[in-house]
Amino acid sequence: MNKYELRAILLSASLMGIFLFAILYNVYARKIDVPTCIPYNASFQKAEIKEVDDLHYEVYIIAKMWTFDPGEIIIPPGSTVDFYLTSADVVHGFSIERKGVNLMAVPGAVNKVTVHFPDYGTYRIVCHEYCGIGHHNMMGKILVTNLTN
Ligand code: CUA
């Protein structure tokens, strides 16, 4: 084997090791949720907000030209939310401001991320993948406030 080939292989393997370490370190030491891609299945048929436990929600979001359904999500402070995301048409982006969430809404696939909302506030959801003429108006909102019902 050529010595440059060997160097390239060793460098690639070292980089893979560093990336793997970075992911595992963030998941286990810093407890940061890594977005996951789960197989599309029939359970994801409608957009909804489900309270699965006290302060634990599941939100099923369908992105479509050019809205998020549901467009407004109201949860109490202290909530942990599992977002399940898919698209009804083209690829859309799903970014929650100030939360470091950056997902793609892909037709025929479901992406999942868990986000904790300890404080009151309003967080915009923005589509950050160009998806057509209405892209710049594609937004949603998460309102963290006391529920009144
Ligand atoms: Cu949806 Cu850009």
Side-chain angles (χ1 to χ4, degrees):
M1 185 185 294
N2 181 305
K3 68 177 179 180
Y4 294 107
E5 266 182 335
L6 187 63
R7 281 182 196 167
I9 289 169
L10 289 175
L11 184 66
S12 306
S14 312
L15 282 174
M16 281 195 294
I18 290 169
F19 292 148
L20 190 63
F21 172 78
I23 290 169
L24 295 176
Y25 175 74
N26 279 294
V27 169
Y28 294 106
R30 299 182 64 211
K31 304 280 181 220
I32 288 176
D33 189 61
V34 174
T36 47
C37 190
I38 54 182
Y40 193 85
N41 65 52
S43 68
F44 199 124
Q45 285 178 334
K46 63 179 170 106
E48 61 182 324
I49 303 171
K50 272 194 219 168
E51 186 174 3
V52 290
D53 203 350
D54 193 31
L55 295 177
H56 182 197
Y57 293 82
E58 284 178 357
V59 179
Y60 293 83
I61 298 181
I62 299 174
K64 54 191 156 190
M65 292 175 176
W66 287 279
T67 56
F68 293 103
D69 185 14
E72 189 176 79
I73 298 156
I74 303 173
I75 49 169
S79 295
T80 299
V81 182
D82 297 325
F83 290 98
Y84 294 88
L85 178 71
T86 193
S87 168
D89 38 47
V90 299
V91 170
H92 296 275
F94 180 85
S95 169
I96 303 175
E97 68 174 355
R98 307 197 311 278
K99 284 295 177 186
V101 171
N102 178 351
L103 288 183
M104 285 168 84
V106 181
V110 179
N111 285 322
K112 180 193 174 222
V113 69
T114 300
V115 186
H116 187 55
F117 294 90
D119 304 314
Y120 290 92
T122 303
Y123 300 85
R124 280 183 313 166
I125 301 169
V126 180
C127 177
H128 61 303
E129 298 273 347
Y130 183 71
C131 56
I133 196 145
H135 162 72
H136 62 287
N137 285 325
M138 186 165 170
M139 283 179 215
K141 190 163 74 172
I142 299 163
L143 205 59
V144 184
T145 184
N146 294 321
L147 301 185
T148 51
N149 56 358

